[in-house]
Amino acid sequence: VSHGSVADHKRFWVDTLGGKAVKIGNVDAIEFPDAYLLLHEGKPTGPTRGTTFDHIGFAVPDVPALTAKVVAAGYGLTVGREPAPGETASPPTAGNYGRFSYLVGPDGVKVELVTSMAENPPPITHHHMHFVNRDFVAMQQWYMNAFNATLRPGQTDFFIGADLPGVGYMLNFFSWLPDESLVGTAGRAVDHVGFEVRDLEKFCAELQAKGIELTAPYERLADTGIARARITDPWGTVIELTEGLRGAP
């Protein structure tokens, strides 16, 4: 969910990356396969970098071609493991995922493009959410517990993953910025992340039974019929839970 100029974000997410501009109730949104970005006007307090949520990842058929389009549209590129402040060299990026790139959109929103491995892949589809933390293993354990996710094999000394039920590959946890003081997401370019949940009211009760308190109560919006609630992870990542968003526009 992005903050900033809606027009600037539409130019990036729609005109450049190929998302579809839609309305959810009276909120401007960008629709991708398996993901919505909700846009709200307001000056963010900073980019995604430096928060506990580092970037959102999309899978595309041809990463170099789309990356060239992004650069031609005037947007910058970055890397996965960015240099620390004052340094120019980036540490080596983990793993060999084939071709990938990292983009910087409006307000410093960071996006990763990875090469789609699907047969006849769509032009772009949501791929993963990428969290960073010194306590990256503890963070992964918290998300596994909260969302009934499963451990993904292949963890390293700075990476561990979790797969969501019914979704699969989704949650990545890295220790890419171990020497920086990370902050939570509230008020930043990506203010919060979101997950669509079946039977949200029951799920909220299950969270509370696990000792995870709601930071915004369960409610159903009269204008759209969408149900929502919020939690915040122990490191300050704000998480909105919804039911009904998928079929809203």
Side-chain angles (χ1 to χ4, degrees), residues 8 10 18 20 29 39 63 72 82 91 94 105 112 116 165 182 184 202 227 241-242 247:
D8 287 347
K10 282 184 175 178
K20 177 184 176 185
L39 304 179
V63 169
E82 298 178 24
E112 181 182 8
S116 178
L182 300 174
K202 177 183 176 185
L241 308 171
T242 60

PDB file of all heavy atoms in Angstrom, residues 8 10 18 20 29 39 63 72 82 91 94 105 112 116 165 182 184 202 227 241-242 247:
ATOM      1  N   ASP A   8       1.543  10.098  -9.781  1.00  0.00           N
ATOM      2  CA  ASP A   8       2.912   9.596  -9.941  1.00  0.00           C
ATOM      3  C   ASP A   8       2.951   8.080  -9.830  1.00  0.00           C
ATOM      4  O   ASP A   8       3.656   7.400 -10.576  1.00  0.00           O
ATOM      5  CB  ASP A   8       3.831  10.214  -8.882  1.00  0.00           C
ATOM      6  CG  ASP A   8       4.138  11.678  -9.158  1.00  0.00           C
ATOM      7  OD1 ASP A   8       3.849  12.144 -10.281  1.00  0.00           O
ATOM      8  OD2 ASP A   8       4.657  12.354  -8.246  1.00  0.00           O
ATOM      9  N   LYS A  10       0.441   5.993 -10.385  1.00  0.00           N
ATOM     10  CA  LYS A  10      -0.208   5.371 -11.540  1.00  0.00           C
ATOM     11  C   LYS A  10       0.745   5.316 -12.735  1.00  0.00           C
ATOM     12  O   LYS A  10       0.767   4.339 -13.480  1.00  0.00           O
ATOM     13  CB  LYS A  10      -1.486   6.134 -11.906  1.00  0.00           C
ATOM     14  CG  LYS A  10      -2.670   5.822 -10.987  1.00  0.00           C
ATOM     15  CD  LYS A  10      -3.930   6.530 -11.462  1.00  0.00           C
ATOM     16  CE  LYS A  10      -5.127   6.129 -10.613  1.00  0.00           C
ATOM     17  NZ  LYS A  10      -6.362   6.835 -11.023  1.00  0.00           N
ATOM     18  N   GLY A  18       2.580  -2.103 -15.931  1.00  0.00           N
ATOM     19  CA  GLY A  18       1.502  -2.852 -16.565  1.00  0.00           C
ATOM     20  C   GLY A  18       0.372  -3.272 -15.656  1.00  0.00           C
ATOM     21  O   GLY A  18      -0.422  -4.153 -16.009  1.00  0.00           O
ATOM     22  N   LYS A  20      -3.270  -2.475 -13.562  1.00  0.00           N
ATOM     23  CA  LYS A  20      -4.544  -1.927 -14.018  1.00  0.00           C
ATOM     24  C   LYS A  20      -5.099  -1.004 -12.942  1.00  0.00           C
ATOM     25  O   LYS A  20      -5.228  -1.397 -11.780  1.00  0.00           O
ATOM     26  CB  LYS A  20      -5.529  -3.069 -14.289  1.00  0.00           C
ATOM     27  CG  LYS A  20      -6.920  -2.631 -14.697  1.00  0.00           C
ATOM     28  CD  LYS A  20      -7.840  -3.849 -14.837  1.00  0.00           C
ATOM     29  CE  LYS A  20      -9.268  -3.438 -15.148  1.00  0.00           C
ATOM     30  NZ  LYS A  20     -10.177  -4.621 -15.170  1.00  0.00           N
ATOM     31  N   ALA A  29      -6.765   2.242  -6.632  1.00  0.00           N
ATOM     32  CA  ALA A  29      -5.984   1.026  -6.439  1.00  0.00           C
ATOM     33  C   ALA A  29      -5.366   0.599  -7.760  1.00  0.00           C
ATOM     34  O   ALA A  29      -5.810   1.013  -8.831  1.00  0.00           O
ATOM     35  CB  ALA A  29      -6.863  -0.091  -5.875  1.00  0.00           C
ATOM     36  N   LEU A  39      -3.770   3.143  -3.085  1.00  0.00           N
ATOM     37  CA  LEU A  39      -3.028   4.397  -3.119  1.00  0.00           C
ATOM     38  C   LEU A  39      -3.728   5.456  -2.276  1.00  0.00           C
ATOM     39  O   LEU A  39      -4.931   5.667  -2.406  1.00  0.00           O
ATOM     40  CB  LEU A  39      -2.910   4.892  -4.566  1.00  0.00           C
ATOM     41  CG  LEU A  39      -2.280   3.909  -5.553  1.00  0.00           C
ATOM     42  CD1 LEU A  39      -2.256   4.522  -6.952  1.00  0.00           C
ATOM     43  CD2 LEU A  39      -0.879   3.513  -5.124  1.00  0.00           C
ATOM     44  N   VAL A  63      12.796 -10.007 -17.707  1.00  0.00           N
ATOM     45  CA  VAL A  63      13.251  -8.977 -16.768  1.00  0.00           C
ATOM     46  C   VAL A  63      14.073  -7.889 -17.466  1.00  0.00           C
ATOM     47  O   VAL A  63      13.832  -6.695 -17.248  1.00  0.00           O
ATOM     48  CB  VAL A  63      14.038  -9.614 -15.605  1.00  0.00           C
ATOM     49  CG1 VAL A  63      14.736  -8.539 -14.766  1.00  0.00           C
ATOM     50  CG2 VAL A  63      13.110 -10.441 -14.729  1.00  0.00           C
ATOM     51  N   ALA A  72      13.987   3.766 -19.098  1.00  0.00           N
ATOM     52  CA  ALA A  72      13.609   4.736 -20.134  1.00  0.00           C
ATOM     53  C   ALA A  72      12.526   5.681 -19.636  1.00  0.00           C
ATOM     54  O   ALA A  72      12.443   6.830 -20.099  1.00  0.00           O
ATOM     55  CB  ALA A  72      13.139   3.998 -21.386  1.00  0.00           C
ATOM     56  N   GLU A  82      21.641  -3.435  -0.547  1.00  0.00           N
ATOM     57  CA  GLU A  82      22.129  -2.099  -0.876  1.00  0.00           C
ATOM     58  C   GLU A  82      23.329  -1.722  -0.015  1.00  0.00           C
ATOM     59  O   GLU A  82      23.474  -2.192   1.103  1.00  0.00           O
ATOM     60  CB  GLU A  82      20.998  -1.085  -0.684  1.00  0.00           C
ATOM     61  CG  GLU A  82      19.816  -1.361  -1.606  1.00  0.00           C
ATOM     62  CD  GLU A  82      18.672  -0.381  -1.396  1.00  0.00           C
ATOM     63  OE1 GLU A  82      18.928   0.728  -0.910  1.00  0.00           O
ATOM     64  OE2 GLU A  82      17.533  -0.736  -1.716  1.00  0.00           O
ATOM     65  N   PRO A  91      27.202  -5.456  -0.970  1.00  0.00           N
ATOM     66  CA  PRO A  91      27.567  -6.850  -0.714  1.00  0.00           C
ATOM     67  C   PRO A  91      26.947  -7.764  -1.760  1.00  0.00           C
ATOM     68  O   PRO A  91      25.959  -7.391  -2.407  1.00  0.00           O
ATOM     69  CB  PRO A  91      26.978  -7.132   0.677  1.00  0.00           C
ATOM     70  CG  PRO A  91      26.099  -6.002   1.004  1.00  0.00           C
ATOM     71  CD  PRO A  91      26.360  -4.881   0.061  1.00  0.00           C
ATOM     72  N   ALA A  94      22.314 -12.656  -2.475  1.00  0.00           N
ATOM     73  CA  ALA A  94      22.211 -14.085  -2.162  1.00  0.00           C
ATOM     74  C   ALA A  94      21.628 -14.862  -3.321  1.00  0.00           C
ATOM     75  O   ALA A  94      20.718 -14.414  -3.988  1.00  0.00           O
ATOM     76  CB  ALA A  94      21.329 -14.272  -0.937  1.00  0.00           C
ATOM     77  N   GLY A 105      10.718   3.172  -7.407  1.00  0.00           N
ATOM     78  CA  GLY A 105       9.595   3.929  -7.935  1.00  0.00           C
ATOM     79  C   GLY A 105       9.369   5.219  -7.179  1.00  0.00           C
ATOM     80  O   GLY A 105      10.241   5.668  -6.416  1.00  0.00           O
ATOM     81  N   GLU A 112      11.210  -5.574  -6.747  1.00  0.00           N
ATOM     82  CA  GLU A 112      12.080  -6.540  -7.409  1.00  0.00           C
ATOM     83  C   GLU A 112      11.329  -7.197  -8.557  1.00  0.00           C
ATOM     84  O   GLU A 112      10.142  -7.515  -8.440  1.00  0.00           O
ATOM     85  CB  GLU A 112      12.539  -7.632  -6.435  1.00  0.00           C
ATOM     86  CG  GLU A 112      13.476  -8.640  -7.102  1.00  0.00           C
ATOM     87  CD  GLU A 112      13.927  -9.770  -6.188  1.00  0.00           C
ATOM     88  OE1 GLU A 112      13.397  -9.874  -5.069  1.00  0.00           O
ATOM     89  OE2 GLU A 112      14.810 -10.530  -6.608  1.00  0.00           O
ATOM     90  N   SER A 116       9.889 -15.077 -14.465  1.00  0.00           N
ATOM     91  CA  SER A 116       8.832 -16.048 -14.238  1.00  0.00           C
ATOM     92  C   SER A 116       9.239 -17.410 -14.787  1.00  0.00           C
ATOM     93  O   SER A 116       9.747 -17.528 -15.897  1.00  0.00           O
ATOM     94  CB  SER A 116       7.532 -15.598 -14.902  1.00  0.00           C
ATOM     95  OG  SER A 116       6.530 -16.581 -14.720  1.00  0.00           O
ATOM     96  N   PRO A 165      -0.214 -21.048   3.298  1.00  0.00           N
ATOM     97  CA  PRO A 165      -1.162 -22.093   2.871  1.00  0.00           C
ATOM     98  C   PRO A 165      -2.045 -21.593   1.734  1.00  0.00           C
ATOM     99  O   PRO A 165      -2.570 -20.479   1.777  1.00  0.00           O
ATOM    100  CB  PRO A 165      -1.986 -22.367   4.143  1.00  0.00           C
ATOM    101  CG  PRO A 165      -1.786 -21.171   5.015  1.00  0.00           C
ATOM    102  CD  PRO A 165      -0.428 -20.646   4.693  1.00  0.00           C
ATOM    103  N   LEU A 182      16.510  -0.281  11.757  1.00  0.00           N
ATOM    104  CA  LEU A 182      15.305  -0.343  10.938  1.00  0.00           C
ATOM    105  C   LEU A 182      14.120   0.188  11.718  1.00  0.00           C
ATOM    106  O   LEU A 182      14.058   0.092  12.943  1.00  0.00           O
ATOM    107  CB  LEU A 182      15.037  -1.789  10.519  1.00  0.00           C
ATOM    108  CG  LEU A 182      16.141  -2.467   9.707  1.00  0.00           C
ATOM    109  CD1 LEU A 182      15.806  -3.932   9.493  1.00  0.00           C
ATOM    110  CD2 LEU A 182      16.316  -1.767   8.368  1.00  0.00           C
ATOM    111  N   GLY A 184       9.614   0.654  11.695  1.00  0.00           N
ATOM    112  CA  GLY A 184       8.379   0.055  11.205  1.00  0.00           C
ATOM    113  C   GLY A 184       7.880   0.766   9.961  1.00  0.00           C
ATOM    114  O   GLY A 184       8.460   1.759   9.495  1.00  0.00           O
ATOM    115  N   LYS A 202     -13.046 -15.389  12.158  1.00  0.00           N
ATOM    116  CA  LYS A 202     -12.514 -16.567  12.844  1.00  0.00           C
ATOM    117  C   LYS A 202     -10.998 -16.482  12.956  1.00  0.00           C
ATOM    118  O   LYS A 202     -10.413 -16.811  14.002  1.00  0.00           O
ATOM    119  CB  LYS A 202     -12.927 -17.830  12.091  1.00  0.00           C
ATOM    120  CG  LYS A 202     -12.370 -19.116  12.688  1.00  0.00           C
ATOM    121  CD  LYS A 202     -12.758 -20.322  11.834  1.00  0.00           C
ATOM    122  CE  LYS A 202     -12.116 -21.607  12.370  1.00  0.00           C
ATOM    123  NZ  LYS A 202     -12.388 -22.758  11.490  1.00  0.00           N
ATOM    124  N   ALA A 227     -14.379  -6.825   4.710  1.00  0.00           N
ATOM    125  CA  ALA A 227     -14.028  -6.899   6.126  1.00  0.00           C
ATOM    126  C   ALA A 227     -12.533  -6.663   6.276  1.00  0.00           C
ATOM    127  O   ALA A 227     -11.743  -7.001   5.377  1.00  0.00           O
ATOM    128  CB  ALA A 227     -14.402  -8.259   6.696  1.00  0.00           C
ATOM    129  N   LEU A 241      -5.377  -7.129   7.313  1.00  0.00           N
ATOM    130  CA  LEU A 241      -6.017  -8.371   6.935  1.00  0.00           C
ATOM    131  C   LEU A 241      -7.380  -8.034   6.334  1.00  0.00           C
ATOM    132  O   LEU A 241      -8.128  -7.242   6.920  1.00  0.00           O
ATOM    133  CB  LEU A 241      -6.184  -9.285   8.153  1.00  0.00           C
ATOM    134  CG  LEU A 241      -4.914  -9.530   8.957  1.00  0.00           C
ATOM    135  CD1 LEU A 241      -5.243 -10.264  10.252  1.00  0.00           C
ATOM    136  CD2 LEU A 241      -3.895 -10.296   8.147  1.00  0.00           C
ATOM    137  N   THR A 242      -7.684  -8.586   5.186  1.00  0.00           N
ATOM    138  CA  THR A 242      -8.946  -8.267   4.515  1.00  0.00           C
ATOM    139  C   THR A 242      -9.669  -9.554   4.129  1.00  0.00           C
ATOM    140  O   THR A 242      -9.068 -10.617   4.015  1.00  0.00           O
ATOM    141  CB  THR A 242      -8.723  -7.442   3.233  1.00  0.00           C
ATOM    142  OG1 THR A 242      -7.898  -8.199   2.327  1.00  0.00           O
ATOM    143  CG2 THR A 242      -8.053  -6.111   3.542  1.00  0.00           C
ATOM    144  N   GLY A 247     -12.565  -9.710  -4.886  1.00  0.00           N
ATOM    145  CA  GLY A 247     -13.634  -9.513  -5.873  1.00  0.00           C
ATOM    146  C   GLY A 247     -14.246  -8.134  -5.813  1.00  0.00           C
ATOM    147  O   GLY A 247     -15.332  -7.917  -6.332  1.00  0.00           O
TER     148      GLY A 247
END
